């Protein structure tokens, strides 16, 4: 049953925790530098908290795509809950002032890709599971 839980809840929950101030200094915490590395070219490469959150969401998307290839009891529930998570992203993006940021928009698009890819992959895999009885 745990496999039915959409993992995109993790980036959504983390963003909301930072946004309301439970983690860091509010919405401005996403621009805080997490890591900086001096490159051989002399440039300074920095990674902010928002960048890390988008990277985590991409890893979660990869795991969700792998989960979509399985056909089981929880797969349909996972797709429905993923759609619900995307709707929460969309409503929050449209109605909450602090969610109208490029980082949140990218997270919302990743959630949308999760929904579309999940349905497309499971539909394709279900077509291969049908046996004709030969």
């Amino acid at each position: 049953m745990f496999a039915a839980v959409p993992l995109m809840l993790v980036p959504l929950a983390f963003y909301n925790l930072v946004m309301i101030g439970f983690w860091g200094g509010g919405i401005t915490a996403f621009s805080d530098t997490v890591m900086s590395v001096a490159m051989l070219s002399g440039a300074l490469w920095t990674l902010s908290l928002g960048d890390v959150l988008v990277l985590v969401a991409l890893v979660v998307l990869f795991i969700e795509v792998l989960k979509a290839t399985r056909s089981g009891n929880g797969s349909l529930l996972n797709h429905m809950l993923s759609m619900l998570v995307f709707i929460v992203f969309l409503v929050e993006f449209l109605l909450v002032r602090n969610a109208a940021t490029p980082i949140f928009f990218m997270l919302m698009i990743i959630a949308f890709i999760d929904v579309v890819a999940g349905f497309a992959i499971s539909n394709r895999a279900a077509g291969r599971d049908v046996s004709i009885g030969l």
Side-chain angles (χ1 to χ4, degrees):
M1 195 60 163
F2 180 71
V5 176
L7 297 177
M8 280 304 293
L9 282 173
V10 173
L12 178 66
F14 184 74
Y15 188 93
N16 284 323
L17 286 174
V18 171
M19 184 176 63
I20 60 177
F22 283 127
W23 191 296
I27 197 72
T28 59
F30 288 116
S31 61
D32 291 347
T33 300
V34 174
M35 179 178 79
S36 60
V37 176
M39 305 302 284
L40 291 176
S41 65
L44 186 65
W45 178 72
T46 60
L47 192 65
S48 69
L49 182 62
D51 299 333
V52 170
L53 185 58
V54 171
L55 288 173
V56 167
L58 288 171
V59 170
V60 165
L61 176 64
F62 175 71
I63 295 169
E64 286 289 329
V65 167
L66 288 179
K67 282 172 41 177
T69 60
R70 294 189 316 220
S71 59
N73 294 336
S75 64
L76 183 61
L77 181 61
N78 181 290
H79 297 318
M80 290 188 301
L81 292 175
S82 293
M83 177 65 84
L84 185 65
V85 168
F86 169 68
I87 291 170
V88 169
F89 267 109
L90 183 62
V91 168
E92 195 168 334
F93 180 71
L94 294 174
L95 299 179
V96 178
R97 180 181 308 270
N98 287 338
T101 63
I103 294 168
F104 195 81
F105 179 75
M106 285 186 271
L107 293 175
M108 182 181 67
I109 295 302
I110 291 170
F112 176 71
I113 292 171
D114 174 29
V115 169
V116 172
F119 280 119
I121 291 169
S122 63
N123 187 22
R124 189 83 159 153
R128 291 190 177 133
D129 286 344
V130 175
S131 63
I132 300 172
L134 296 175

